[in-house]
Amino acid sequence: MTAPKTHHRTHRQKITAIAAIVARPTFLRLYGLVAGITLLGTTLYWSVLASIVQQFNADQLIDPYLFEHGTTFEQAVFPGQHSFLLKWPIFLLVQLFHSTPLAYAVATVGVSLLTVGALAYMLYRIDRRPVVYGTLFLALAAALLLVPAEAYPGALLPVNMAMLSTRNIEYIVYIVSLIFLIKTPRLLHWQTAVAVATLALLVASDKLFLALSLGGGLLCGLLALITKRRQLVQLTLRWLGVAGVAAGLAFGLLALLGGLHVTGFDTSSGASPYAISLSLKNIILGICYSILGIFTNFGANPAANIVVLKDIPSALFRQVHSPTIISYAINTFIVGLGLVSCWRVVRRAVVSPPVTKKRPKVQQGSDTPQLLSLSLILTTVAAIGVFIASNHYYAVDARYLSIALFAVFTAGASTLRRTKPMPELMVGIGLILTLGMCLGAVTTFRTTNQSLAALSPIEAKNDLIATALTQHKVNTLIGDYWRVVPIKFERSAPQTVLPLSSCLAPRPNLFSRAWQTTATSHSFAYLVTQKASSTGYPGCTTEQIITAYGRPSASQVISGTVVQPEEVLLFYDHGANRPNRHTPATVLPQPIAKLRGITCQGPTTIMNIVAHQDDDILFMNPDLLHAIRQGDCVRSVYLTAGDAGNSKLYWLGREEGSRAAYVSMLGISQPKWVTQTVSLSSTSYVSISKLQSNSQIFLIFLHLPDGNLDGSGFSDTKHQSLQKLITGTIHQISTVDNQSRYTSDELTQALVTLMRTFRPTEIHTQALRSLSTMYPDHSDHIAAANYAKSAYDGYDANHTLPIAYYIGYPVRDKPQNVSGQDLRDKTDTFFTYAEHDNGTCESVASCNAMAYGHYLTRQYQMTN
C-alpha cells in the first residue's frame, strides 16, 4: 500500500530537482543566451526568405536607382508622403554596390536584424533577468517567424519588415525619440533637442509618424484630462510640443532640399494616399480588419491571405487539420498575454498620484519603461484610428499596424519587471514557444515557395524581356512601373527605364525626370501589356502606343501569339516617329501580298537561302559583297533561328548581327531598319527586315530550330531539326517562338511563296551534301540546300534561273582563295556581325582557334 506514495514522492523529487537546476544562475544565463541566439537565427531565416520573395518588387528596387547618377538624383521625384529620407544612406550604399541581388539581400537582412536587435536590446534594458528577457526573445522570435512576407502569393506589397522600402528601423527611431522625450528633465534640454531632431527626420521620411505622434499625444492628453494625473499632463505637453516643432522642421527640411534643387518631392498626392471614409459599414469593416491586421503582425492569423470576411471561417477550418495551427495558437496566446500587459500599463498610469495644489517633486523619467510602454500603446490606438478612418484594405495594409508589435512587447517587459516569475514556469513557456517556432519555420518555408511560384510566370516573362533587350539594345525601356523596374534589375546593366502609371503617363513620383528627358528622342522599347494588372496598371493596345509614338522598328511577342499578342515588346531604334497614312496602325501580321517596296531597282535580284544568320556572310562572301556593291538586290532567307540550343531569344542577337553586317556591306552610316511580321499562311509567319527608303536588301527570318551538327536537335526545342523533317523522322516542325509550324511540304511551299513574291533572277544556297569526311558539314546547311532545291524546282520547273551551291564547313579542305581587300572587307563584315552574336569569335586569333579563319579566307561553290 505504500508503493504508490513512494512513487509519488519520487516523481515530486524529480520535479523539485529539475526546478532547482532551472533556478541556478548559470542555467538561466545559458537560457537567456540560447534565446538570444534563437532570435538571431530566426530573424536571419525569415528575413532571407522574405528578401528572396521581394527581390523583384519594384518598390524594393526603385529607390537605389534614383541614386544611380547625380543628374538622376537631382531630377528625382520622391513621394512627399513617404520619401524614405531616413534610408537614403542605405539606398546609396546599395547603389555603390551596383544594385546587385546580393546588395539588396544584405541590406534587407541588415535592416531586419538592426530593427529586431534594437527591440531586443530595449527589452533587455527594461528587465535584465535572463529568465524574463530570454522568454520575451523566444516569444518575439515565434511571432515574427509567422508574419508573412506578403499578404498572399503574388501580392507584391510587403507585410513583414524584411524589405528596404517598408517600415522597420523607422519604428526604432520613433521609440528612440519617445525615450528622449520621456527622459528629458525640462523643455530646454539637449535630450529635448535629440527628441525633436529624430522625430523631425522621421516625419520628413514618413509623414505617417506625424499622424501617429500627434494622435498618441492627443490621446495622452485626453487620458490626462480624465484622470488629472500630473505625469500624463507633463508627457502630453512635451509630446505635442516636440511633435509640433518636429513637424515644422520636417516640412522645412523637405522644402529646403527641393528649393536648393538637391532633389524633388511630389506633394500633389495629399496627406495620405487613402481616402477618408466614415460610413458605418466601412467603420465596422475597418474595426474587423484592424483586429485581424494586429493578429497578422504577431504571426497569429492563419487566414492572413483572406480579404473577404465571410471567407475567414472556412480558411480557419482548413488550418485546424494542419500541425501549424499549433504555432498560430501559441502566437494567439502571446497576443492575449500582451493585451493583458497593455491593460496593466494603462491601469498603472491611471492610478498614479493625481495633480494636487501641493506639487510633489517628480523625477522626470523615473519610470521610463512604464511611460514608454504607455506612449507606444497610445500610438497603437492612434494607428488603429487612422487605419479605420482611412479605409485601408486589410490584406496588404496590415503592415500599417506594425507599431502594435513594439507596444505589446515593451508593455510585456515593463509589466514583468514588477513581478517575480517562477523560473521553471518561464522556461516551460520557452519550450512551448520553441515548439511553435519549429512548426512555424516549416510554414514560413512553404509560404515562401508559394509566393515564388505565384511570381514565377511574371519573372519568366521579365527574364525573356531582359534577354531580348540584351540582344536588341536600346537606351530606354518604357512601360508599367511594376514590370520595367524589375526588368532593369534582371539585366544587371545600366538600362534606363521610364516607369509609367498608365499607358502614356509617367509616374508622379518614384521616378526621375532625367529618364523622361531623352526617353523618346533616342532608341527605346515599349512594353505593351494588353491585360490590366493586379497592381492597377491598365491594359494597353498597340494602336494606342503607335498613335503616340509612331510605328516601331521591330516587335517581339513576349506572350500570346502574333495574331493575338498578350504582351509585346515594341522597338523604336531611332526614337519616336509620326505615323502616316501609309504606315499600318498595328504590328499584327500583314499578308505577304501587302508587302511594300519589294520591286528591285538593280540589274539582278539574288535570293540567298541559308540555314543560319552567318552562313551567307561566311560561305557566300566575297560574292555577296560584290553583288551588293554593284547594285544588285539581295533577299536573304534564313531558315533556322540559329539558336544552337540556347533559349531566351539568343537568336535575336544573331538577327541584329545580320542587319549590322549588311549595313556594313552597304556602307550606310545611319541605317533605319523596319522589321515586320508577315503571314505566309494561317500557320506560318516570318519576320522581314528592310531598310527605310531602300529596297536593295530584304532579310527574311523563318525562326525554325537549329538542328545541331548531326541533326539530333536540342532539348530546348524538343530535338526538332530540318534533317529530321526532310527525312520524315518528324512530321512537323515548330518555330523557336512557337508562332509557326510547317510540314516538309509546307516549308517547301513557303520558300516557293517567297520566290514568287520577290521574283529572284538568281538563287544561291548551300551545298546539297557534305563533301568531306574530315570536316563534315552542318546538318542544317545540307537540309537548307535541299529545301531550296525543292522550292527552286517548284518555282522554275524549266530551270532557267541559275542556282549556285556554296560549300560550308568542308571548305576547310580547299586552299585559300580570298585575299587582299576582299579578305579585309569580308573579315570586317564578319566581325560586325560577331558583335551581336556572343557565340562566335571576337578577334582574328580567336577566329583562327575556332576555325572561322578558314571560312573567312575561302569561298567555293559545289561543282558536282
Side-chain angles (χ1 to χ4, degrees), residues 677-729:
T677 302
V678 172
S679 60
L680 303 181
S681 71
S682 61
T683 61
S684 59
Y685 306 93
V686 298
S687 294
I688 298 181
S689 296
K690 71 175 292 290
L691 289 162
Q692 289 184 1
S693 304
N694 186 328
S695 61
Q696 187 178 1
I697 305 295
F698 276 77
L699 306 180
I700 301 101
F701 305 97
L702 269 66
H703 301 144
L704 295 170
D706 190 310
N708 211 341
L709 289 169
D710 58 359
S712 60
F714 294 95
S715 58
D716 281 352
T717 50
K718 301 178 181 179
H719 295 284
Q720 299 177 99
S721 72
L722 288 174
Q723 178 176 294
K724 290 181 179 181
L725 184 69
I726 201 170
T727 59
T729 304

Side-chain angles (χ1 to χ4, degrees), residues 245-293:
V245 175
L249 290 176
F251 284 101
L253 176 60
L254 295 179
L256 180 64
L257 291 174
L260 294 176
H261 304 290
V262 175
T263 190
F265 301 93
D266 173 31
T267 58
S268 62
S269 56
S272 172
Y274 294 91
I276 300 297
S277 177
L278 296 177
S279 69
L280 180 60
K281 176 185 176 181
N282 285 334
I283 289 175
I284 295 173
L285 288 175
I287 292 172
C288 295
Y289 289 155
S290 63
I291 294 171
L292 292 169

Side-chain angles (χ1 to χ4, degrees), residues 486-632:
I487 290 168
K488 174 181 172 69
F489 176 73
E490 181 79 36
R491 286 197 65 191
S492 298
Q495 171 75 61
T496 299
V497 295
L498 178 60
L500 304 180
S501 59
S502 62
C503 298
L504 299 173
R507 284 178 60 87
N509 52 54
L510 286 179
F511 94 111
S512 175
R513 294 187 182 94
W515 299 339
Q516 187 178 9
T517 304
T518 60
T520 57
S521 59
H522 294 73
S523 65
F524 68 94
Y526 189 107
L527 177 61
V528 182
T529 303
Q530 302 275 9
K531 295 182 179 179
S533 70
S534 60
T535 59
Y537 191 83
C540 307
T541 65
T542 54
E543 286 79 3
Q544 283 179 278
I545 310 310
I546 291 175
T547 299
Y549 299 123
R551 186 183 178 188
S553 306
S555 63
Q556 176 60 48
V557 174
I558 302 301
S559 64
T561 66
V562 292
V563 178
Q564 293 182 318
E566 296 174 359
E567 197 162 74
V568 61
L569 199 60
L570 305 182
F571 293 98
Y572 290 82
D573 293 330
H574 308 284
N577 58 82
R578 292 183 178 180
N580 56 62
R581 61 186 180 90
H582 298 296
T583 301
T586 179
V587 293
L588 297 178
Q590 301 295 308
I592 195 167
K594 293 185 178 181
L595 193 62
R596 296 177 178 274
I598 61 175
T599 302
C600 178
Q601 304 299 323
T604 304
T605 299
I606 300 172
M607 177 170 281
N608 300 318
I609 301 176
V610 296
H612 311 117
Q613 290 85 342
D614 59 355
D615 289 344
D616 49 347
I617 300 169
L618 284 173
F619 306 125
M620 296 178 176
N621 251 344
D623 285 358
L624 183 58
L625 268 163
H626 297 160
I628 290 173
R629 289 177 179 174
Q630 70 185 20
D632 292 343

Side-chain angles (χ1 to χ4, degrees), residues 40-277:
L40 172 64
T42 55
T43 303
L44 279 171
Y45 177 71
W46 59 257
S47 61
V48 167
L49 292 180
S51 70
I52 295 172
V53 171
Q54 302 291 358
Q55 66 177 334
F56 290 105
N57 189 323
D59 279 349
Q60 165 88 344
L61 302 171
I62 190 66
D63 286 287
Y65 290 147
L66 294 174
F67 289 81
E68 198 166 26
H69 304 291
T71 304
T72 303
F73 179 71
E74 181 182 346
Q75 299 187 40
V77 182
F78 291 91
Q81 175 69 18
H82 202 175
S83 69
F84 282 115
L85 180 66
L86 186 67
K87 289 182 176 174
W88 284 7
I90 300 175
F91 299 148
L92 180 59
L93 191 62
V94 171
Q95 181 56 46
L96 290 176
F97 283 92
H98 309 293
S99 297
T100 62
L102 180 60
Y104 277 103
V106 170
T108 300
V109 174
V111 295
S112 300
L113 287 173
L114 181 60
T115 303
V116 176
L119 176 57
Y121 177 71
M122 284 188 288
L123 299 179
Y124 167 77
R125 288 297 302 269
I126 293 172
D127 194 328
R128 301 192 183 191
R129 291 174 294 176
V131 72
V132 174
Y133 71 71
T135 304
L136 287 172
F137 286 178
L138 293 175
L140 181 60
L144 291 174
L145 194 58
L146 281 176
V147 181
E150 53 183 4
Y152 51 86
L156 292 177
L157 297 177
V159 176
N160 70 15
M161 295 182 287
M163 183 169 155
L164 284 185
S165 52
T166 194
R167 299 172 186 90
N168 33 56
I169 58 174
E170 285 87 348
Y171 293 115
I172 300 302
V173 174
Y174 181 68
I175 293 173
V176 168
S177 177
L178 288 178
I179 291 173
F180 279 102
L181 183 151
I182 292 167
K183 291 174 69 69
T184 182
R186 58 185 179 275
L187 187 60
L188 297 178
H189 192 267
W190 69 268
Q191 290 181 332
T192 308
V194 173
V196 170
T198 52
L199 187 57
L201 179 62
L202 186 57
V203 171
S205 181
D206 187 350
K207 290 188 176 65
L208 174 65
F209 285 95
L210 175 59
L212 298 185
S213 187
L214 289 175
L218 290 173
L219 288 172
C220 187
L222 180 61
L223 195 61
L225 184 64
I226 295 172
T227 62
K228 301 185 183 301
R229 305 302 173 184
R230 178 179 180 80
Q231 200 173 38
L232 296 183
V233 173
Q234 293 177 332
L235 178 60
T236 298
L237 294 176
R238 291 198 303 272
W239 198 346
L240 292 177
V242 166
V245 175
L249 290 176
F251 284 101
L253 176 60
L254 295 179
L256 180 64
L257 291 174
L260 294 176
H261 304 290
V262 175
T263 190
F265 301 93
D266 173 31
T267 58
S268 62
S269 56
S272 172
Y274 294 91
I276 300 297
S277 177

